Amino acid sequence: MNKSYNGRFTPRPDAVRAAYSAEQVLQAVDEAVRTGKRIAVRSGGHCYEDFVTASDVEIVLDVSQMNGVTFDPEHQAFAVEAGATLGQVYKSLYYGWGVTIPGGSCPSVGVGGHIAGGGYGALSRLHGMVVDHLYGVDLVVVDQHGRARRVVATRRPDDPNRDLWWAHTGGGGGNFGVVLRYLLRSPQAHGKDPSTLLPTPPATSPGVTLTWQWADVDERAFTTLVRNHGTWHERRPRTRLSSSLALSHQATGQFQLLVGVDGEQGDVGRLMDDYIKTVTAGVGAAPATTRSDQPWLTATLGAETYAGGTPFKSKAGFLRRRWTDRQIAVVHKYLTDGDQRWGASVYVSSFGGKINTVAPSATAFPHRDALFSVAYDLYWSDPADQDEINWIRRFYQEVYADTGGVPVPGDANSGCYVNYPDADLADPKWNTSGVPWHTLYYGDNYPRLRRIKARWDPGNVFHHSLSVRPQA
């Protein structure tokens, strides 16, 4: 079970403890505290950084076998164990009760970290973040005496543990304890019929994929397309249409625009056609167009999943406004630099919609006014090749050159997503803004997270390179 999703890191723990029950989690945590060994928790194992694979991690607690999805009549909520993958959750909720959560597009991602960081996906413009449907969390914490114990925290206003629930609505994984189960029920849901307590997914997932050949696209055409994409979403922040510009490096020969709409909408075809007409206006180069209309679950479970094992570096940012033309020029320069970087891509995905209707302090996830989520990815072969990793670092730094090399919250940016962790943000060589990493991830919510950390993990048992620091 010594798996490592990111090939940049080679885990060498003293032991891997596979947990199949809450009792085994309690035993493993007790053992780590009693023997003074550093413990880290793994569910899906998809962490971008070395939170679980760091050289000083001595015990890895793997909860991937705790993957049940049931209905809990006591809490009138769906109980999803932390080791379940998104694919398992989607399938179980849909076949069992005809409901879903607005989670991510990678079926192999474990919910343990995904939900704790916020969780979003193709249905989020319609239904918000996953944590907007989080009723409670069942977890193991360590008290001031070093004793592991089980706690349930809910969003009920009278719950004395409510702050611990709040910390799991965007505070990120590996910070407060070991999540056993998430309890999921939409806040507006009433009654006891499980089929009404979470969102109902659309029957189908109509979509269009536009593919351009790099050989047909000059810098003017590229700039026009990216500008049009950003401007359209700025003007229609609440539309149910979602899209992602998948800007692969020129070495791959092509790049794509992926478009989707909630299948329950009667004018789906017209909405997508109008969008495509607007976004491609003035581009000149004609894309190849592929249309699809699969059943929702088929499309969701069929998404491509990276198997892991290859070295990669991911960087990310939330935008409140589209890239400037200067930033688009930087992106074009790096994606057409003449090198054979087959593993380099930038994804500009629409955000907004229902996500923007929640106050930044209502959950620990603060980026409620973001309109775009941007990911910068690079995969390569040799983990020791610093030239490759520094390429993506320079790329990112140059995109955000106006704000110290990182997306400092302001008129244009809204910081970063904790589920896309990037240790460079804590390195003054790559973050010259003077704004600390925790402001980029948590904004004004960080002081409250520190207070919660001090209460529920006073010994800082659960920590990593970007973990919430307990308040002194």
Side-chain angles (χ1 to χ4, degrees), residues 340-374:
Q340 295 302 305
R341 289 195 170 87
W342 303 92
S345 298
V346 180
Y347 301 91
V348 187
S349 302
S350 53
F351 208 59
K354 187 69 175 290
I355 296 169
N356 293 160
T357 65
V358 177
S361 61
T363 62
F365 179 86
H367 311 286
R368 293 297 184 163
D369 56 357
L371 295 181
F372 306 94
S373 171
V374 186

PDB file of all heavy atoms in Angstrom, residues 340-374:
ATOM      1  N   GLN A 340       9.466  20.320 -26.291  1.00  0.00           N
ATOM      2  CA  GLN A 340       8.542  19.186 -26.389  1.00  0.00           C
ATOM      3  C   GLN A 340       7.940  18.864 -25.023  1.00  0.00           C
ATOM      4  O   GLN A 340       8.163  17.797 -24.441  1.00  0.00           O
ATOM      5  CB  GLN A 340       9.281  17.976 -26.963  1.00  0.00           C
ATOM      6  CG  GLN A 340       9.761  18.163 -28.387  1.00  0.00           C
ATOM      7  CD  GLN A 340       8.616  18.490 -29.342  1.00  0.00           C
ATOM      8  OE1 GLN A 340       7.632  17.752 -29.430  1.00  0.00           O
ATOM      9  NE2 GLN A 340       8.724  19.594 -30.064  1.00  0.00           N
ATOM     10  N   ARG A 341       7.187  19.805 -24.511  1.00  0.00           N
ATOM     11  CA  ARG A 341       6.571  19.606 -23.198  1.00  0.00           C
ATOM     12  C   ARG A 341       5.165  19.028 -23.377  1.00  0.00           C
ATOM     13  O   ARG A 341       4.160  19.718 -23.241  1.00  0.00           O
ATOM     14  CB  ARG A 341       6.549  20.913 -22.415  1.00  0.00           C
ATOM     15  CG  ARG A 341       7.936  21.325 -21.948  1.00  0.00           C
ATOM     16  CD  ARG A 341       7.900  22.402 -20.887  1.00  0.00           C
ATOM     17  NE  ARG A 341       9.230  22.588 -20.301  1.00  0.00           N
ATOM     18  CZ  ARG A 341      10.150  23.404 -20.793  1.00  0.00           C
ATOM     19  NH1 ARG A 341       9.895  24.114 -21.875  1.00  0.00           N
ATOM     20  NH2 ARG A 341      11.328  23.505 -20.207  1.00  0.00           N
ATOM     21  N   TRP A 342       5.119  17.737 -23.646  1.00  0.00           N
ATOM     22  CA  TRP A 342       3.843  17.064 -23.896  1.00  0.00           C
ATOM     23  C   TRP A 342       2.933  17.105 -22.659  1.00  0.00           C
ATOM     24  O   TRP A 342       1.711  17.047 -22.790  1.00  0.00           O
ATOM     25  CB  TRP A 342       4.094  15.614 -24.293  1.00  0.00           C
ATOM     26  CG  TRP A 342       4.972  15.453 -25.484  1.00  0.00           C
ATOM     27  CD1 TRP A 342       6.338  15.301 -25.490  1.00  0.00           C
ATOM     28  CD2 TRP A 342       4.573  15.456 -26.848  1.00  0.00           C
ATOM     29  NE1 TRP A 342       6.809  15.210 -26.775  1.00  0.00           N
ATOM     30  CE2 TRP A 342       5.740  15.299 -27.632  1.00  0.00           C
ATOM     31  CE3 TRP A 342       3.344  15.576 -27.493  1.00  0.00           C
ATOM     32  CZ2 TRP A 342       5.710  15.257 -29.026  1.00  0.00           C
ATOM     33  CZ3 TRP A 342       3.320  15.533 -28.869  1.00  0.00           C
ATOM     34  CH2 TRP A 342       4.477  15.379 -29.625  1.00  0.00           C
ATOM     35  N   GLY A 343       3.545  17.209 -21.491  1.00  0.00           N
ATOM     36  CA  GLY A 343       2.751  17.148 -20.266  1.00  0.00           C
ATOM     37  C   GLY A 343       2.357  18.483 -19.688  1.00  0.00           C
ATOM     38  O   GLY A 343       1.931  18.560 -18.530  1.00  0.00           O
ATOM     39  N   ALA A 344       2.466  19.556 -20.475  1.00  0.00           N
ATOM     40  CA  ALA A 344       2.122  20.889 -19.973  1.00  0.00           C
ATOM     41  C   ALA A 344       0.737  21.308 -20.457  1.00  0.00           C
ATOM     42  O   ALA A 344       0.429  21.191 -21.653  1.00  0.00           O
ATOM     43  CB  ALA A 344       3.162  21.913 -20.432  1.00  0.00           C
ATOM     44  N   SER A 345      -0.092  21.786 -19.529  1.00  0.00           N
ATOM     45  CA  SER A 345      -1.437  22.259 -19.877  1.00  0.00           C
ATOM     46  C   SER A 345      -1.879  23.334 -18.895  1.00  0.00           C
ATOM     47  O   SER A 345      -1.416  23.378 -17.753  1.00  0.00           O
ATOM     48  CB  SER A 345      -2.458  21.114 -19.826  1.00  0.00           C
ATOM     49  OG  SER A 345      -2.167  20.098 -20.758  1.00  0.00           O
ATOM     50  N   VAL A 346      -2.788  24.171 -19.372  1.00  0.00           N
ATOM     51  CA  VAL A 346      -3.459  25.144 -18.512  1.00  0.00           C
ATOM     52  C   VAL A 346      -4.962  24.969 -18.716  1.00  0.00           C
ATOM     53  O   VAL A 346      -5.429  24.899 -19.855  1.00  0.00           O
ATOM     54  CB  VAL A 346      -3.046  26.591 -18.855  1.00  0.00           C
ATOM     55  CG1 VAL A 346      -3.763  27.581 -17.936  1.00  0.00           C
ATOM     56  CG2 VAL A 346      -1.541  26.762 -18.742  1.00  0.00           C
ATOM     57  N   TYR A 347      -5.699  24.890 -17.613  1.00  0.00           N
ATOM     58  CA  TYR A 347      -7.156  24.708 -17.679  1.00  0.00           C
ATOM     59  C   TYR A 347      -7.833  25.930 -17.071  1.00  0.00           C
ATOM     60  O   TYR A 347      -7.620  26.250 -15.903  1.00  0.00           O
ATOM     61  CB  TYR A 347      -7.580  23.456 -16.920  1.00  0.00           C
ATOM     62  CG  TYR A 347      -6.951  22.192 -17.445  1.00  0.00           C
ATOM     63  CD1 TYR A 347      -5.740  21.727 -16.938  1.00  0.00           C
ATOM     64  CD2 TYR A 347      -7.555  21.459 -18.468  1.00  0.00           C
ATOM     65  CE1 TYR A 347      -5.144  20.576 -17.419  1.00  0.00           C
ATOM     66  CE2 TYR A 347      -6.968  20.294 -18.966  1.00  0.00           C
ATOM     67  CZ  TYR A 347      -5.769  19.869 -18.431  1.00  0.00           C
ATOM     68  OH  TYR A 347      -5.177  18.722 -18.923  1.00  0.00           O
ATOM     69  N   VAL A 348      -8.644  26.602 -17.873  1.00  0.00           N
ATOM     70  CA  VAL A 348      -9.405  27.756 -17.401  1.00  0.00           C
ATOM     71  C   VAL A 348     -10.874  27.342 -17.371  1.00  0.00           C
ATOM     72  O   VAL A 348     -11.519  27.221 -18.415  1.00  0.00           O
ATOM     73  CB  VAL A 348      -9.221  28.976 -18.322  1.00  0.00           C
ATOM     74  CG1 VAL A 348      -9.887  30.205 -17.704  1.00  0.00           C
ATOM     75  CG2 VAL A 348      -7.751  29.239 -18.589  1.00  0.00           C
ATOM     76  N   SER A 349     -11.394  27.092 -16.174  1.00  0.00           N
ATOM     77  CA  SER A 349     -12.747  26.554 -16.024  1.00  0.00           C
ATOM     78  C   SER A 349     -13.672  27.587 -15.403  1.00  0.00           C
ATOM     79  O   SER A 349     -13.279  28.335 -14.498  1.00  0.00           O
ATOM     80  CB  SER A 349     -12.716  25.299 -15.135  1.00  0.00           C
ATOM     81  OG  SER A 349     -11.857  24.318 -15.683  1.00  0.00           O
ATOM     82  N   SER A 350     -14.899  27.604 -15.877  1.00  0.00           N
ATOM     83  CA  SER A 350     -15.882  28.529 -15.322  1.00  0.00           C
ATOM     84  C   SER A 350     -16.232  28.125 -13.897  1.00  0.00           C
ATOM     85  O   SER A 350     -16.353  26.954 -13.568  1.00  0.00           O
ATOM     86  CB  SER A 350     -17.135  28.545 -16.193  1.00  0.00           C
ATOM     87  OG  SER A 350     -17.640  27.236 -16.395  1.00  0.00           O
ATOM     88  N   PHE A 351     -16.373  29.107 -13.047  1.00  0.00           N
ATOM     89  CA  PHE A 351     -16.722  28.906 -11.643  1.00  0.00           C
ATOM     90  C   PHE A 351     -18.044  29.640 -11.437  1.00  0.00           C
ATOM     91  O   PHE A 351     -18.926  29.577 -12.277  1.00  0.00           O
ATOM     92  CB  PHE A 351     -15.574  29.465 -10.779  1.00  0.00           C
ATOM     93  CG  PHE A 351     -15.409  28.799  -9.442  1.00  0.00           C
ATOM     94  CD1 PHE A 351     -15.155  27.444  -9.358  1.00  0.00           C
ATOM     95  CD2 PHE A 351     -15.481  29.530  -8.264  1.00  0.00           C
ATOM     96  CE1 PHE A 351     -14.983  26.818  -8.123  1.00  0.00           C
ATOM     97  CE2 PHE A 351     -15.304  28.922  -7.036  1.00  0.00           C
ATOM     98  CZ  PHE A 351     -15.055  27.570  -6.959  1.00  0.00           C
ATOM     99  N   GLY A 352     -18.232  30.327 -10.362  1.00  0.00           N
ATOM    100  CA  GLY A 352     -19.397  31.192 -10.205  1.00  0.00           C
ATOM    101  C   GLY A 352     -20.713  30.460  -9.995  1.00  0.00           C
ATOM    102  O   GLY A 352     -20.776  29.394  -9.395  1.00  0.00           O
ATOM    103  N   GLY A 353     -21.810  31.039 -10.526  1.00  0.00           N
ATOM    104  CA  GLY A 353     -23.127  30.449 -10.359  1.00  0.00           C
ATOM    105  C   GLY A 353     -23.542  30.408  -8.900  1.00  0.00           C
ATOM    106  O   GLY A 353     -23.356  31.364  -8.141  1.00  0.00           O
ATOM    107  N   LYS A 354     -24.118  29.286  -8.483  1.00  0.00           N
ATOM    108  CA  LYS A 354     -24.611  29.120  -7.108  1.00  0.00           C
ATOM    109  C   LYS A 354     -23.473  29.278  -6.091  1.00  0.00           C
ATOM    110  O   LYS A 354     -23.713  29.685  -4.940  1.00  0.00           O
ATOM    111  CB  LYS A 354     -25.250  27.739  -6.970  1.00  0.00           C
ATOM    112  CG  LYS A 354     -25.961  27.493  -5.650  1.00  0.00           C
ATOM    113  CD  LYS A 354     -27.215  28.328  -5.521  1.00  0.00           C
ATOM    114  CE  LYS A 354     -27.987  27.982  -4.234  1.00  0.00           C
ATOM    115  NZ  LYS A 354     -28.590  26.640  -4.309  1.00  0.00           N
ATOM    116  N   ILE A 355     -22.249  28.974  -6.497  1.00  0.00           N
ATOM    117  CA  ILE A 355     -21.103  29.128  -5.592  1.00  0.00           C
ATOM    118  C   ILE A 355     -21.034  30.557  -5.068  1.00  0.00           C
ATOM    119  O   ILE A 355     -20.707  30.800  -3.894  1.00  0.00           O
ATOM    120  CB  ILE A 355     -19.789  28.782  -6.329  1.00  0.00           C
ATOM    121  CG1 ILE A 355     -19.775  27.311  -6.743  1.00  0.00           C
ATOM    122  CG2 ILE A 355     -18.574  29.087  -5.448  1.00  0.00           C
ATOM    123  CD1 ILE A 355     -18.639  26.959  -7.692  1.00  0.00           C
ATOM    124  N   ASN A 356     -21.353  31.524  -5.926  1.00  0.00           N
ATOM    125  CA  ASN A 356     -21.222  32.939  -5.584  1.00  0.00           C
ATOM    126  C   ASN A 356     -22.331  33.462  -4.675  1.00  0.00           C
ATOM    127  O   ASN A 356     -22.281  34.623  -4.253  1.00  0.00           O
ATOM    128  CB  ASN A 356     -21.202  33.795  -6.852  1.00  0.00           C
ATOM    129  CG  ASN A 356     -19.976  33.575  -7.717  1.00  0.00           C
ATOM    130  OD1 ASN A 356     -19.985  33.896  -8.898  1.00  0.00           O
ATOM    131  ND2 ASN A 356     -18.915  33.012  -7.153  1.00  0.00           N
ATOM    132  N   THR A 357     -23.320  32.635  -4.353  1.00  0.00           N
ATOM    133  CA  THR A 357     -24.455  33.102  -3.549  1.00  0.00           C
ATOM    134  C   THR A 357     -24.234  32.920  -2.055  1.00  0.00           C
ATOM    135  O   THR A 357     -25.088  33.304  -1.250  1.00  0.00           O
ATOM    136  CB  THR A 357     -25.749  32.374  -3.956  1.00  0.00           C
ATOM    137  OG1 THR A 357     -25.629  30.976  -3.653  1.00  0.00           O
ATOM    138  CG2 THR A 357     -26.024  32.535  -5.441  1.00  0.00           C
ATOM    139  N   VAL A 358     -23.109  32.324  -1.662  1.00  0.00           N
ATOM    140  CA  VAL A 358     -22.815  32.039  -0.254  1.00  0.00           C
ATOM    141  C   VAL A 358     -21.785  33.041   0.256  1.00  0.00           C
ATOM    142  O   VAL A 358     -20.819  33.372  -0.447  1.00  0.00           O
ATOM    143  CB  VAL A 358     -22.289  30.595  -0.092  1.00  0.00           C
ATOM    144  CG1 VAL A 358     -21.919  30.301   1.356  1.00  0.00           C
ATOM    145  CG2 VAL A 358     -23.333  29.600  -0.596  1.00  0.00           C
ATOM    146  N   ALA A 359     -21.962  33.517   1.464  1.00  0.00           N
ATOM    147  CA  ALA A 359     -21.029  34.477   2.047  1.00  0.00           C
ATOM    148  C   ALA A 359     -19.661  33.832   2.279  1.00  0.00           C
ATOM    149  O   ALA A 359     -19.574  32.652   2.622  1.00  0.00           O
ATOM    150  CB  ALA A 359     -21.575  35.009   3.366  1.00  0.00           C
ATOM    151  N   PRO A 360     -18.558  34.593   2.112  1.00  0.00           N
ATOM    152  CA  PRO A 360     -17.214  34.034   2.273  1.00  0.00           C
ATOM    153  C   PRO A 360     -16.940  33.435   3.651  1.00  0.00           C
ATOM    154  O   PRO A 360     -16.124  32.531   3.779  1.00  0.00           O
ATOM    155  CB  PRO A 360     -16.301  35.235   2.008  1.00  0.00           C
ATOM    156  CG  PRO A 360     -17.123  36.176   1.215  1.00  0.00           C
ATOM    157  CD  PRO A 360     -18.526  35.996   1.674  1.00  0.00           C
ATOM    158  N   SER A 361     -17.627  33.934   4.677  1.00  0.00           N
ATOM    159  CA  SER A 361     -17.393  33.430   6.034  1.00  0.00           C
ATOM    160  C   SER A 361     -18.387  32.346   6.454  1.00  0.00           C
ATOM    161  O   SER A 361     -18.232  31.756   7.529  1.00  0.00           O
ATOM    162  CB  SER A 361     -17.461  34.578   7.039  1.00  0.00           C
ATOM    163  OG  SER A 361     -18.751  35.182   7.024  1.00  0.00           O
ATOM    164  N   ALA A 362     -19.390  32.066   5.616  1.00  0.00           N
ATOM    165  CA  ALA A 362     -20.384  31.053   5.976  1.00  0.00           C
ATOM    166  C   ALA A 362     -19.768  29.663   6.022  1.00  0.00           C
ATOM    167  O   ALA A 362     -20.191  28.798   6.798  1.00  0.00           O
ATOM    168  CB  ALA A 362     -21.547  31.080   4.991  1.00  0.00           C
ATOM    169  N   THR A 363     -18.771  29.445   5.179  1.00  0.00           N
ATOM    170  CA  THR A 363     -17.984  28.222   5.205  1.00  0.00           C
ATOM    171  C   THR A 363     -16.514  28.626   5.259  1.00  0.00           C
ATOM    172  O   THR A 363     -16.169  29.783   5.051  1.00  0.00           O
ATOM    173  CB  THR A 363     -18.233  27.355   3.956  1.00  0.00           C
ATOM    174  OG1 THR A 363     -17.818  28.093   2.787  1.00  0.00           O
ATOM    175  CG2 THR A 363     -19.694  26.968   3.820  1.00  0.00           C
ATOM    176  N   ALA A 364     -15.644  27.649   5.502  1.00  0.00           N
ATOM    177  CA  ALA A 364     -14.214  27.957   5.542  1.00  0.00           C
ATOM    178  C   ALA A 364     -13.657  28.243   4.155  1.00  0.00           C
ATOM    179  O   ALA A 364     -12.577  28.819   4.026  1.00  0.00           O
ATOM    180  CB  ALA A 364     -13.458  26.796   6.182  1.00  0.00           C
ATOM    181  N   PHE A 365     -14.379  27.844   3.105  1.00  0.00           N
ATOM    182  CA  PHE A 365     -13.974  28.136   1.724  1.00  0.00           C
ATOM    183  C   PHE A 365     -14.330  29.588   1.407  1.00  0.00           C
ATOM    184  O   PHE A 365     -15.508  29.937   1.334  1.00  0.00           O
ATOM    185  CB  PHE A 365     -14.686  27.184   0.759  1.00  0.00           C
ATOM    186  CG  PHE A 365     -14.362  27.423  -0.682  1.00  0.00           C
ATOM    187  CD1 PHE A 365     -13.245  26.840  -1.256  1.00  0.00           C
ATOM    188  CD2 PHE A 365     -15.162  28.235  -1.469  1.00  0.00           C
ATOM    189  CE1 PHE A 365     -12.926  27.062  -2.593  1.00  0.00           C
ATOM    190  CE2 PHE A 365     -14.856  28.466  -2.803  1.00  0.00           C
ATOM    191  CZ  PHE A 365     -13.741  27.877  -3.366  1.00  0.00           C
ATOM    192  N   PRO A 366     -13.324  30.468   1.204  1.00  0.00           N
ATOM    193  CA  PRO A 366     -13.609  31.901   1.122  1.00  0.00           C
ATOM    194  C   PRO A 366     -13.820  32.468  -0.278  1.00  0.00           C
ATOM    195  O   PRO A 366     -14.222  33.622  -0.418  1.00  0.00           O
ATOM    196  CB  PRO A 366     -12.338  32.515   1.715  1.00  0.00           C
ATOM    197  CG  PRO A 366     -11.253  31.583   1.249  1.00  0.00           C
ATOM    198  CD  PRO A 366     -11.872  30.197   1.234  1.00  0.00           C
ATOM    199  N   HIS A 367     -13.563  31.676  -1.325  1.00  0.00           N
ATOM    200  CA  HIS A 367     -13.473  32.237  -2.681  1.00  0.00           C
ATOM    201  C   HIS A 367     -14.844  32.299  -3.357  1.00  0.00           C
ATOM    202  O   HIS A 367     -15.043  31.785  -4.453  1.00  0.00           O
ATOM    203  CB  HIS A 367     -12.505  31.402  -3.511  1.00  0.00           C
ATOM    204  CG  HIS A 367     -11.201  31.141  -2.830  1.00  0.00           C
ATOM    205  ND1 HIS A 367     -10.231  32.111  -2.684  1.00  0.00           N
ATOM    206  CD2 HIS A 367     -10.717  30.028  -2.223  1.00  0.00           C
ATOM    207  CE1 HIS A 367      -9.199  31.600  -2.030  1.00  0.00           C
ATOM    208  NE2 HIS A 367      -9.469  30.349  -1.736  1.00  0.00           N
ATOM    209  N   ARG A 368     -15.764  32.951  -2.700  1.00  0.00           N
ATOM    210  CA  ARG A 368     -17.151  32.913  -3.142  1.00  0.00           C
ATOM    211  C   ARG A 368     -17.474  33.888  -4.269  1.00  0.00           C
ATOM    212  O   ARG A 368     -18.569  33.844  -4.825  1.00  0.00           O
ATOM    213  CB  ARG A 368     -18.071  33.171  -1.950  1.00  0.00           C
ATOM    214  CG  ARG A 368     -18.034  32.047  -0.923  1.00  0.00           C
ATOM    215  CD  ARG A 368     -18.545  30.738  -1.500  1.00  0.00           C
ATOM    216  NE  ARG A 368     -18.601  29.669  -0.495  1.00  0.00           N
ATOM    217  CZ  ARG A 368     -19.290  28.553  -0.650  1.00  0.00           C
ATOM    218  NH1 ARG A 368     -19.972  28.347  -1.764  1.00  0.00           N
ATOM    219  NH2 ARG A 368     -19.283  27.631   0.295  1.00  0.00           N
ATOM    220  N   ASP A 369     -16.543  34.775  -4.594  1.00  0.00           N
ATOM    221  CA  ASP A 369     -16.800  35.700  -5.702  1.00  0.00           C
ATOM    222  C   ASP A 369     -15.941  35.379  -6.919  1.00  0.00           C
ATOM    223  O   ASP A 369     -15.878  36.161  -7.865  1.00  0.00           O
ATOM    224  CB  ASP A 369     -16.580  37.149  -5.269  1.00  0.00           C
ATOM    225  CG  ASP A 369     -15.191  37.396  -4.706  1.00  0.00           C
ATOM    226  OD1 ASP A 369     -14.411  36.422  -4.602  1.00  0.00           O
ATOM    227  OD2 ASP A 369     -14.882  38.559  -4.367  1.00  0.00           O
ATOM    228  N   ALA A 370     -15.279  34.218  -6.919  1.00  0.00           N
ATOM    229  CA  ALA A 370     -14.465  33.833  -8.068  1.00  0.00           C
ATOM    230  C   ALA A 370     -15.344  33.431  -9.241  1.00  0.00           C
ATOM    231  O   ALA A 370     -16.398  32.819  -9.070  1.00  0.00           O
ATOM    232  CB  ALA A 370     -13.541  32.681  -7.690  1.00  0.00           C
ATOM    233  N   LEU A 371     -14.882  33.777 -10.441  1.00  0.00           N
ATOM    234  CA  LEU A 371     -15.598  33.412 -11.666  1.00  0.00           C
ATOM    235  C   LEU A 371     -14.878  32.335 -12.469  1.00  0.00           C
ATOM    236  O   LEU A 371     -15.478  31.693 -13.334  1.00  0.00           O
ATOM    237  CB  LEU A 371     -15.798  34.641 -12.555  1.00  0.00           C
ATOM    238  CG  LEU A 371     -16.699  35.746 -12.008  1.00  0.00           C
ATOM    239  CD1 LEU A 371     -16.814  36.874 -13.024  1.00  0.00           C
ATOM    240  CD2 LEU A 371     -18.080  35.196 -11.664  1.00  0.00           C
ATOM    241  N   PHE A 372     -13.578  32.147 -12.197  1.00  0.00           N
ATOM    242  CA  PHE A 372     -12.793  31.154 -12.930  1.00  0.00           C
ATOM    243  C   PHE A 372     -11.862  30.427 -11.975  1.00  0.00           C
ATOM    244  O   PHE A 372     -11.329  31.027 -11.032  1.00  0.00           O
ATOM    245  CB  PHE A 372     -11.939  31.808 -14.030  1.00  0.00           C
ATOM    246  CG  PHE A 372     -12.704  32.662 -14.990  1.00  0.00           C
ATOM    247  CD1 PHE A 372     -12.814  34.031 -14.786  1.00  0.00           C
ATOM    248  CD2 PHE A 372     -13.318  32.107 -16.106  1.00  0.00           C
ATOM    249  CE1 PHE A 372     -13.526  34.834 -15.672  1.00  0.00           C
ATOM    250  CE2 PHE A 372     -14.029  32.899 -16.990  1.00  0.00           C
ATOM    251  CZ  PHE A 372     -14.138  34.261 -16.772  1.00  0.00           C
ATOM    252  N   SER A 373     -11.676  29.163 -12.246  1.00  0.00           N
ATOM    253  CA  SER A 373     -10.646  28.371 -11.584  1.00  0.00           C
ATOM    254  C   SER A 373      -9.612  28.009 -12.640  1.00  0.00           C
ATOM    255  O   SER A 373      -9.958  27.497 -13.709  1.00  0.00           O
ATOM    256  CB  SER A 373     -11.249  27.094 -10.979  1.00  0.00           C
ATOM    257  OG  SER A 373     -10.229  26.230 -10.513  1.00  0.00           O
ATOM    258  N   VAL A 374      -8.337  28.291 -12.356  1.00  0.00           N
ATOM    259  CA  VAL A 374      -7.278  28.037 -13.333  1.00  0.00           C
ATOM    260  C   VAL A 374      -6.255  27.081 -12.734  1.00  0.00           C
ATOM    261  O   VAL A 374      -5.802  27.264 -11.602  1.00  0.00           O
ATOM    262  CB  VAL A 374      -6.570  29.342 -13.752  1.00  0.00           C
ATOM    263  CG1 VAL A 374      -5.574  29.065 -14.876  1.00  0.00           C
ATOM    264  CG2 VAL A 374      -7.583  30.394 -14.185  1.00  0.00           C
TER     265      VAL A 374
END
